[in-house]
Each structure stands twice: as structure tokens, then as C-alpha cells.
């Protein structure tokens, strides 16, 4: 079956630093990948997505990198702010659904 | 534009009691999903609807869980009877297309506690 997991369950950074959250996936047939942010008591919120015909995509302060050779996905957050503190999930799309990983808790220290 | 709306936000029940969750997706979104999220875990798909048809319910425990989306708009997820292990957050999501290659929009979820 599909398996999407994260290398680090927690990540603590200083305000202003860059953050990198990593994710490994197992289903090489997936052609769509997405990152969500989930704050306490809220539903997952879309951050950025990428399709398999790309290896990098940038948004506002965020960048997603896709390495299909090693089946690895990462989320980079530039100039991390206290409001970025949340749990971050990667997910891969196939069979008309998204399959989520376990999540990484990002804590931003002032 | 309103997002995905879920109610109630919280529900506390005793085991063996029934419980129901309601979801109203984003207007115009044909596909609706119910996900289960255990503490510290990522969401897991329970059921996916395309309009009023349940096209993927392979992960729904059908002995106690049921769902409906009668008019292809809002949806209800029911558990009867609830067990202690059902305590979790139940998330509803919707998407414009058939899913798998597009982002899902999530509601805030219903946090269920079974005592």
C-alpha cells in the first residue's frame, strides 16, 4: 500500500531562521504532492503543491522540492515566524484521493 | 466565500451511544470526503463521494459507520454504536474535481470523545 512518512516528528527553530521539513513517500506512481499546515483545533490548511513533472515550486516564503529518484519531498519555509508554528503534513495523490503522512510539529522560538 | 462547514465542533458521548456529524462543502464542489484523524496522526480517508454517489468506502467500518449525501451537497456521517476507540477528530473536505490530483479544502472537524 501507499506509505507517506516524515523523517522528523518535531522541529524547533529560531524566529527568522529557515525551516526544512522532510517527507518520504513509497508510491512512485503518484504524480501529485501537497503540503498542509494544521494549527491546534483547526483543519488542515493548504500550503503548496507540486506535480511530478516539476522538481521545485515556490510560493510566498515557501518552497517545495520533489526528488522522484529517492522519493523524497521537502518543504522549506523562509524567515520562519511564530505564526508558522503548527503541524505540517505531506500527502501524495493517487486513486482519486490524498494519502497523508504522520506530520511534523514545527515550533518557532522567539 | 464560506469554507467547508462542520458541526458540531465537539461531541462527548458514552460508549454504545449513537452520534452524527454534519458537513456542508464549498459551494460547487462535487467531491466530498470524510477523514478520520487520530491524535498525532495524519488524516485517513473513510469515504469519498462524487455528487451523491459513494465511490470509495473501502476504509469505512460498515458494521457501525454509515454516511449519506442524499442531494449531492451536504453530508452526514453516523456511528452507531460508538466505541471507545472511535474517539478522534472527524474531518470533512471537499474538492472541485474528482480528487487525487488537486487540493482538498478541509473543515475544522468534529472532535469526538467517547467515554
Amino acid at each position: 500500500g501507499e506509505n507517506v512518512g516524515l523523517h522528523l516528528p518535531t522541529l524547533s527553530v529560531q524566529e527568522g531562521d529557515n525551516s526544512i521539513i522532510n517527507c518520504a513517500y513509497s508510491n512512485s506512481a503518484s504524480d501529485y504532492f501537497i503540503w498542509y499546515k494544521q494549527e491546534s483545533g483547526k483543519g488542515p490548511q493548504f500550503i503548496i503543491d507540486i506535480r511530478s513533472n516539476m522538481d521545485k515550486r515556490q510560493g510566498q516564503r515557501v518552497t517545495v522540492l520533489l526528488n522522484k529518484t529517492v522519493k523524497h519531498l521537502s518543504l522549506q519555509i523562509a524567515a520562519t515566524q511564530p505564526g508558522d508554528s503548527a503541524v505540517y503534513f505531506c500527502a501524495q495523490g493517487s486513486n482519486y484521493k490524498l494519502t497523508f503522512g504522520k506530520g511534523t510539529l514545527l515550533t518557532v522560538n522567539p | 466565500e464560506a469554507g467547508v462547514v462542520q458541526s458540531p465542533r465537539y461531541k462527548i458521548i458514552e460508549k454504545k451511544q449513537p452520534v452524527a456529524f454534519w458537513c456542508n462543502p464549498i459551494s460547487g464542489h462535487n467531491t466530498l470526503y470524510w477523514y478520520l484523524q487520530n491524535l498525532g496522526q495524519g488524516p485517513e480517508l473513510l469515504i469519498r463521494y462524487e455528487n451523491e454517489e459513494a465511490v470509495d468506502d473501502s476504509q469505512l467500518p460498515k458494521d457501525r459507520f454509515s454516511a449519506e449525501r442524499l442531494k449531492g451537497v451536504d453530508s452526514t456521517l453516523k456511528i452507531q454504536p460508538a466505541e471507545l476507540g472511535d474517539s478522534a477528530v472527524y474531518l470533512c473536505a471537499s474538492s472541485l474535481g474528482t480528487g487525487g490530483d488537486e487540493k482538498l479544502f478541509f473543515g475544522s472537524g468534529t472532535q469526538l470523545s467517547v467515554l
Side-chain angles (χ1 to χ4, degrees):
Chain A
E2 297 170 5
N3 182 29
V4 181
L6 296 172
H7 294 307
L8 296 174
T10 61
L11 178 64
S12 183
V13 301
Q14 290 298 122
E15 181 178 358
D17 287 352
N18 296 333
S19 302
I20 299 176
I21 302 172
N22 296 303
C23 177
Y25 64 92
S26 62
N27 186 355
S28 57
S30 292
D31 56 9
Y32 179 72
F33 303 87
I34 189 168
W35 282 98
Y36 281 91
K37 171 187 180 183
Q38 188 173 25
E39 297 174 280
S40 181
K42 297 183 179 180
Q45 178 184 7
F46 169 81
I47 302 174
I48 192 167
D49 56 5
I50 188 169
R51 300 192 183 278
S52 59
N53 60 351
M54 303 173 67
D55 54 20
K56 180 179 180 180
R57 191 173 186 209
Q58 289 184 293
Q60 187 176 13
R61 287 202 303 119
V62 294
T63 300
V64 56
L65 299 177
L66 175 63
N67 186 331
K68 296 181 287 294
T69 302
V70 295
K71 293 186 284 188
H72 185 267
L73 190 70
S74 69
L75 176 70
Q76 300 178 0
I77 304 173
T80 313
Q81 303 169 359
D84 295 327
S85 294
V87 177
Y88 289 79
F89 293 97
C90 65
Q92 61 179 144
S94 65
N95 297 325
Y96 305 103
K97 65 183 180 184
L98 294 181
T99 301
F100 287 79
K102 292 183 178 180
T104 292
L105 173 62
L106 174 64
T107 302
V108 182
N109 302 309
Chain B
E1 178 181 342
V4 177
V5 179
Q6 290 189 248
S7 68
R9 286 285 286 118
Y10 305 94
K11 190 71 177 180
I12 301 173
I13 61 172
E14 294 185 346
K15 63 182 181 182
K16 300 185 181 180
Q17 294 300 307
V19 65
F21 316 121
W22 178 81
C23 172
N24 195 33
I26 292 173
S27 178
H29 280 197
N30 296 323
T31 306
L32 182 147
Y33 312 76
W34 283 102
Y35 276 84
L36 166 70
Q37 187 174 28
N38 288 304
L39 187 63
Q41 303 293 315
E44 301 172 29
L45 181 67
L46 288 172
I47 189 168
R48 176 172 66 94
Y49 281 93
E50 288 182 18
N51 298 307
E52 67 276 6
E53 183 181 359
V55 293
D56 183 356
D57 63 356
S58 58
Q59 302 303 311
L60 189 73
K62 298 181 185 65
D63 57 336
R64 297 184 300 108
F65 286 65
S66 64
E68 60 183 16
R69 193 186 185 199
L70 295 176
K71 296 183 179 180
V73 180
D74 59 340
S75 175
T76 301
L77 177 68
K78 299 178 181 178
I79 308 175
Q80 182 171 11
E83 297 179 352
L84 295 176
D86 296 332
S87 295
V89 175
Y90 291 82
L91 292 164
C92 180
S94 69
S95 66
L96 191 60
T98 55
D101 62 351
E102 61 178 328
K103 60 186 176 186
L104 272 58
F105 295 83
F106 283 87
S108 295
T110 295
Q111 184 170 333
L112 174 66
S113 297
V114 182
L115 307 179

